[in-house]
Amino acid sequence: MIMAEDQKSCLDLKSLSGGYGKVPILHGIEFSVAENEVVGILGHNGMGKSTLLKTIMGFLPASSGAVRFHGVEITRLSPYERAGLGIGYVPQGRGIFPQLSVRDNLRFAWHDYSGGSEDEVIEAVLADFPRLARLLDRMGGALSGGEQQLLALARSLMGDPEFLLLDEPTEGIQPSIIEEMSETLLHLRERRGLSILLVEQNFDFIADLSDRVLVLERGRIAGELGKADLADQAKVDQFLGFGAARSTRGNLAGAANAAPGPVPTPSRPQQNNAPVPITPQPSVTSMTIKRPSLSQMRAMASRFGMNLTDAELTEYSQIMEPYIQAYDRLDAMPDNLPEVRYPRSPGRFPDATENPLNAWYVKTEVRGAPDGPLRGKRIALKDTICLAGVPMMNGSSIIEGYTPEIDATIVTRLLDAGAVIAGKAHCENFCLSGGSHTNAKGPVHNPWKRGYMANGSSSGSAALVAAGEVDMAIAGDQGGSIRLPSSACGVYGMKATHGLVPYTGVMPVEMTIDHVGPVTSTVADNALLLEVLAGEDGLDPRQYNPKIYRYTEALGRGAQGLRIGILKEGFHRPESEADVDQKVLAAADRFRQLGAMVEEISVPEHNLAVDCWTAITVEGLQDHMMHGNMGGTNYRGLFLPSMIDQMSHWRNRADELSHSLKTCMFLGEHFQTQYRGRFYGKAQNLMRRVNEKYAEALKRFDVLLMPTMPMKPQEIPPADCSISLYVQRAFEMIGNTAPFNGGLPAMSVPCGLSEGLPIGMMLVGPSFGEMKIYQAAHAFEQSEDWRSM
């Protein structure tokens, strides 16, 4: 991005950011274009290329930064004023008037600053576009696509610009017109001294015209290729691997990796009952996908355990070509992602003075509908939840810097209900910890006792609610991650029945244990928030006909007549602390005083459930979260390719993964490779038996009762602690919570303090039995202040 010393700058962008009013697209763009220089911009669809040109031209406002033209700042000028200074713009899609003639299209673009009379300027422009001279009386809509593009280019010259912004000029144009357009632009550059900023995906076109090419990725300049680089096959291969270029000539370096020649016709006739091969689509010129090289084919064959000759591999490459072209066409299509409905800014990262617990990742002020059940409620989101245009990191340096382009389903529901999204709360590193010591930005502290765990993985969500910094928070739960921090921080956290709350747009771990739900300071707020969150969205495969209720109607019913079962296996565990058991048993006695029937019950399979959860989690996360890059396959639902791309970087930065995640990866990989996934399947089978046993108990009782965590929050281990202590502090407390990630609803209810730290009681109900849980929790909450119990 550095110009030669003898080149004078024409256009300068400094820290330019902007978007479409709702979602920021450009992030700190900086580069310059010299006089008489052509700079190309190459990138995937949706990376901000067109947004960049519209912002430079003034059709979109810059949210920050500056645009300077010949040293004069034009950031706040209108498009008309910028055109008057000498900037021309040819939009994507051409933008001609189809019901006006070619002549009238040109006349419409004449201005008093065009450097001559209307007829003089038209004559000068037609000299550069002789093809249009014989079409002057033809309607714009009757022109071919290529002729329309030439007209759009000619029309832009009617204002006598010295700088041109060209947006995808070759899109949908036949090769002969593309060649003519390239020659015309080179001629204009030489004769008029034009500078050009060219957004293009045709590699041949952009390479022929450009002095250098900038790569735009997710609204940021990610790289640059000079003229020499554009002739370097290795560099071009790397370019095409980015998936952003197409070819007119069909001789791209990336295509050299595919075997040459036509797709062969099968030499042997098909048998009568043989499957008919897929009929390939016509060949395309948009070759955006990198073809496998022969060495890559050899490596794949080796991984598959195949013994194939190079000749056979070459033939397979030829056979694959028409099917790879399907990927070319997919890459050229815009994605089908949910609409973002509410405006927002990217937020800001709070400094230590306003983030004493290290519970915030980023603060925002995203306002929803003016009215609704959550009107004015300030809500923090666990930093696994997509909030469009706002950065996220899921506790990991590997994800840091990623900015999603969608709102999760639950975010849209919150905003539709009138909530204000106050920011993203820190969570544990890829959510693989029940402690609060693994975030790449440092530990989250307990609001009751600094230096102690807020627990996790939704550590920041619970800490912010407990500290009174937000009214409510959203947390996620794969092994207790809503309930554990709620217990540690003295707030109410509900892990609803699996699938009741849509997980769409939330970073997953393993689909059969993924849950997301509310954390609040009162039971009433929790029930209200679940009413807003619950229900199918048609995009989450975890949902299977959920039963939805008005949960606030459970409030005030009292505990009289409730049947509460004290789960024997939840107490006096090897990791249990006596004061925790005592406080929770005292809470059970309080229910008796409130008129509930309270008895002990044994479900021995409760301990088996932890073993099942272990196999499901470590093998499932390795397949889905790690190898599947948080996307995976074999389900219908919303996929977020940008998140998949970002997550894939872990392979080059695996040392940055937390010790707890590394432990799970070693376990998952070993049992998947050595035992072929059989234990994952067996664990899922046995978890059904466990749930059947819980269901039998819940026929006798409305809810089951036990400690949420068998122990109080522990001290945060030092940063230089042993790996063993680090991992111990991550998983030592999940014995009661993980079993219910098999699907049943469970809620942590604060029930007392010991040594200045909160203790949580967990109430568990049958499938879609949240109403009974809320009834019991509210009766307990209203009986006495839990802090004095």
Side-chain angles (χ1 to χ4, degrees):
M1 302 186 193
I2 300 174
M3 299 179 302
E5 291 183 5
D6 59 347
Q7 287 184 297
K8 186 177 179 182
S9 175
C10 179
L11 180 78
D12 295 282
L13 307 184
K14 299 294 184 184
S15 301
L16 184 68
S17 297
Y20 287 89
K22 294 181 178 180
V23 180
I25 303 296
L26 307 176
H27 307 282
I29 300 289
E30 290 199 5
F31 65 85
S32 298
V33 181
E35 292 181 356
N36 200 222
E37 183 184 29
V38 178
V39 175
I41 303 286
L42 187 60
H44 276 298
N45 287 326
M47 290 298 172
K49 305 185 302 297
S50 294
T51 303
L52 174 61
L53 295 195
K54 290 177 182 177
T55 305
I56 294 172
M57 195 62 205
F59 291 108
L60 293 173
S63 59
S64 62
V67 181
R68 293 186 176 90
F69 189 59
H70 290 304
V72 177
E73 184 165 346
I74 62 171
T75 316
R76 306 302 170 198
L77 297 186
S78 69
Y80 176 81
E81 291 170 313
R82 299 184 201 209
L85 292 174
I87 303 177
Y89 173 59
V90 181
Q92 185 178 18
R94 299 147 202 161
I96 67 159
F97 296 101
Q99 295 179 329
L100 294 182
S101 67
V102 169
R103 187 192 309 276
D104 287 340
N105 265 278
L106 294 175
R107 292 180 61 205
F108 194 85
W110 180 85
H111 299 277
D112 55 8
Y113 53 73
S114 294
S117 68
E118 183 180 291
D119 290 338
E120 290 171 339
V121 174
I122 289 177
E123 184 178 354
V125 167
L126 290 177
D128 292 319
F129 293 89
R131 179 189 289 262
L132 295 179
R134 59 179 182 272
L135 301 173
L136 282 174
D137 297 321
R138 185 172 298 183
M139 294 296 104
L143 302 180
S144 70
E147 290 167 342
Q148 289 182 5
Q149 187 63 65
L150 290 175
L151 174 57
L153 184 57
R155 192 179 59 175
S156 72
L157 297 179
M158 288 293 296
D160 193 27
E162 57 180 289
F163 191 98
L164 271 186
L165 301 170
L166 300 183
D167 194 354
E168 297 279 8
T170 74
E171 186 176 49
I173 306 301
Q174 64 190 41
S176 62
I177 296 287
I178 292 174
E179 294 290 340
E180 179 180 340
M181 192 181 306
S182 178
E183 293 171 1
T184 299
L185 287 170
L186 288 171
H187 170 72
L188 290 171
R189 176 188 183 181
E190 181 179 351
R191 192 172 70 81
R192 295 188 177 218
L194 277 176
S195 302
I196 300 174
L197 186 61
L198 169 65
V199 162
E200 184 53 69
Q201 292 196 58
N202 184 309
F203 185 82
D204 299 326
F205 187 81
I206 206 169
D208 287 347
L209 284 174
S210 302
D211 299 299
R212 55 196 171 101
V213 172
L214 307 178
V215 180
L216 191 66
E217 185 172 0
R218 298 193 187 95
R220 293 179 172 87
I221 301 297
E224 176 177 337
L225 288 178
K227 199 70 174 179
D229 297 325
L230 294 172
D232 185 324
Q233 180 168 320
K235 293 283 181 66
V236 172
D237 262 349
Q238 182 180 356
F239 229 170
L240 295 177
F242 174 71
R246 63 177 184 260
S247 170
T248 305
R249 307 180 188 118
N251 61 353
L252 289 172
N257 287 329
V263 178
T265 303
S267 57
R268 292 180 293 276
Q270 298 285 325
Q271 297 180 4
N272 291 336
N273 59 352
V276 178
I278 299 170
T279 302
Q281 294 276 349
S283 180
V284 295
T285 59
S286 311
M287 295 177 63
T288 62
I289 300 300
K290 192 172 183 178
R291 272 58 176 167
S293 65
L294 184 57
S295 62
Q296 289 171 326
M297 292 291 288
R298 289 192 200 106
M300 285 192 284
S302 177
R303 287 199 301 272
F304 299 154
M306 298 175 182
N307 296 303
L308 299 172
T309 66
D310 283 359
E312 289 171 321
L313 291 171
T314 299
E315 185 171 359
Y316 277 114
S317 295
Q318 294 172 328
I319 294 168
M320 289 161 57
E321 173 56 27
Y323 307 104
I324 292 178
Q325 289 187 16
Y327 283 83
D328 289 327
R329 289 185 288 272
L330 281 175
D331 193 49
M333 291 288 293
D335 209 336
N336 180 27
L337 297 176
E339 175 191 5
V340 176
R341 300 181 187 172
Y342 297 94
R344 76 282 312 270
S345 71
R348 60 185 180 83
F349 300 109
D351 59 36
T353 60
E354 56 179 334
N355 195 15
L357 302 176
N358 194 36
W360 288 108
Y361 172 50
V362 61
K363 287 190 172 184
T364 62
E365 191 80 7
V366 183
R367 295 191 169 272
D371 202 1
L374 298 180
R375 182 177 63 181
K377 294 284 189 181
R378 294 177 57 78
I379 298 180
L381 304 176
K382 182 177 183 177
D383 193 37
T384 55
I385 299 168
C386 288
L387 180 61
V390 177
M392 65 193 304
M393 65 177 287
N394 195 356
S396 170
S397 57
I398 292 168
I399 295 295
E400 187 176 12
Y402 171 63
T403 302
E405 63 269 43
I406 67 163
D407 284 339
T409 295
I410 54 174
V411 170
T412 301
R413 290 180 178 179
L414 293 170
L415 294 171
D416 285 346
V420 177
I421 305 300
K424 305 294 288 296
H426 269 319
C427 63
E428 297 312 294
N429 203 309
F430 283 123
C431 299
L432 263 295
S433 174
S436 64
H437 59 299
T438 70
N439 188 288
K441 298 288 188 181
V444 178
H445 292 267
N446 193 301
W448 289 83
K449 199 170 187 179
R450 187 171 180 82
Y452 281 74
M453 298 280 197
N455 287 93
S457 63
S458 309
S459 42
S461 295
L464 290 171
V465 172
E469 294 198 42
V470 292
D471 300 305
M472 303 169 166
I474 306 297
D477 196 314
Q478 281 81 21
S481 295
I482 293 174
R483 295 156 289 157
L484 295 172
S486 295
S487 174
C489 296
V491 292
Y492 297 87
M494 169 67 87
K495 182 203 75 64
T497 306
H498 188 250
L500 179 62
V501 179
Y503 205 85
T504 305
V506 184
M507 286 189 169
V509 173
E510 203 280 345
M511 287 180 58
T512 67
I513 62 171
D514 288 334
H515 299 74
V516 64
V519 173
T520 59
S521 58
T522 68
V523 176
D525 273 355
N526 206 281
L528 175 64
L529 187 49
L530 186 61
E531 283 185 2
V532 171
L533 300 175
E536 285 187 283
D537 71 348
L539 294 171
D540 183 6
R542 299 165 187 80
Q543 295 191 289
Y544 29 90
N545 194 28
K547 299 175 183 177
I548 305 165
Y549 300 94
R550 290 292 300 273
Y551 303 107
T552 51
E553 293 180 358
L555 308 177
R557 293 183 178 181
Q560 185 72 37
L562 278 177
R563 300 167 301 158
I564 298 175
I566 300 173
L567 185 67
K568 176 182 176 181
E569 287 74 17
F571 295 82
H572 311 301
R573 301 175 59 82
E575 70 273 22
S576 293
E577 293 179 343
D579 54 347
V580 173
D581 282 348
Q582 290 167 5
K583 287 288 185 181
V584 177
L585 289 172
D589 284 337
R590 173 56 58 92
F591 275 117
R592 288 190 180 98
Q593 297 167 17
L594 295 172
M597 183 274 286
V598 182
E599 295 179 3
E600 185 178 83
I601 185 173
S602 175
V603 181
E605 289 79 6
H606 183 67
N607 295 317
L608 171 62
V610 180
D611 296 336
C612 294
W613 176 88
T614 298
I616 291 167
T617 300
V618 300
E619 295 188 48
L621 77 84
Q622 186 66 356
D623 269 0
H624 187 74
M625 187 171 87
M626 306 311 293
H627 291 316
N629 302 315
M630 287 192 176
T633 59
N634 287 289
Y635 67 93
R636 293 187 180 96
L638 179 69
F639 289 77
L640 196 52
S642 61
M643 182 187 291
I644 294 170
D645 289 343
Q646 182 74 25
M647 183 61 187
S648 68
H649 296 163
W650 74 262
R651 291 166 179 79
N652 300 319
R653 302 171 60 181
D655 287 341
E656 298 174 43
L657 300 171
S658 68
H659 298 314
S660 49
L661 176 53
K662 289 174 183 173
T663 301
C664 292
M665 289 174 64
F666 283 127
L667 281 165
E669 189 76 2
H670 174 74
F671 283 97
Q672 280 284 307
T673 56
Q674 295 300 311
Y675 294 94
R676 303 161 298 281
R678 71 185 307 274
F679 286 110
Y680 176 90
K682 188 172 185 179
Q684 290 283 16
N685 291 338
L686 290 173
M687 186 62 89
R688 290 201 309 275
R689 179 193 297 173
V690 172
N691 280 334
E692 289 167 3
K693 296 299 182 180
Y694 287 137
E696 289 176 10
L698 287 163
K699 289 177 182 177
R700 290 181 52 196
F701 299 98
D702 295 310
V703 295
L704 303 179
L705 179 152
M706 71 207 78
T708 307
M709 291 199 299
M711 60 183 65
K712 297 184 296 298
Q714 303 295 298
E715 285 189 83
I716 295 171
D720 60 352
C721 72
S722 68
I723 296 175
S724 297
L725 179 60
Y726 182 105
V727 176
Q728 177 188 337
R729 288 287 178 264
F731 298 126
E732 62 188 348
M733 73 300 286
I734 65 171
N736 279 344
T737 53
F740 300 106
N741 284 84
L744 296 182
M747 183 178 189
S748 184
V749 176
C751 67
L753 290 166
S754 182
E755 299 178 7
L757 289 164
I759 291 170
M761 162 182 63
M762 186 163 64
L763 301 176
V764 178
S767 185
F768 301 112
E770 287 79 9
M771 290 287 283
K772 288 295 185 183
I773 295 176
Y774 280 131
Q775 179 183 347
H778 189 250
F780 183 84
E781 176 195 36
Q782 297 302 302
S783 69
E784 185 180 342
D785 187 341
W786 65 268
R787 300 165 185 82
S788 62
M789 291 182 180

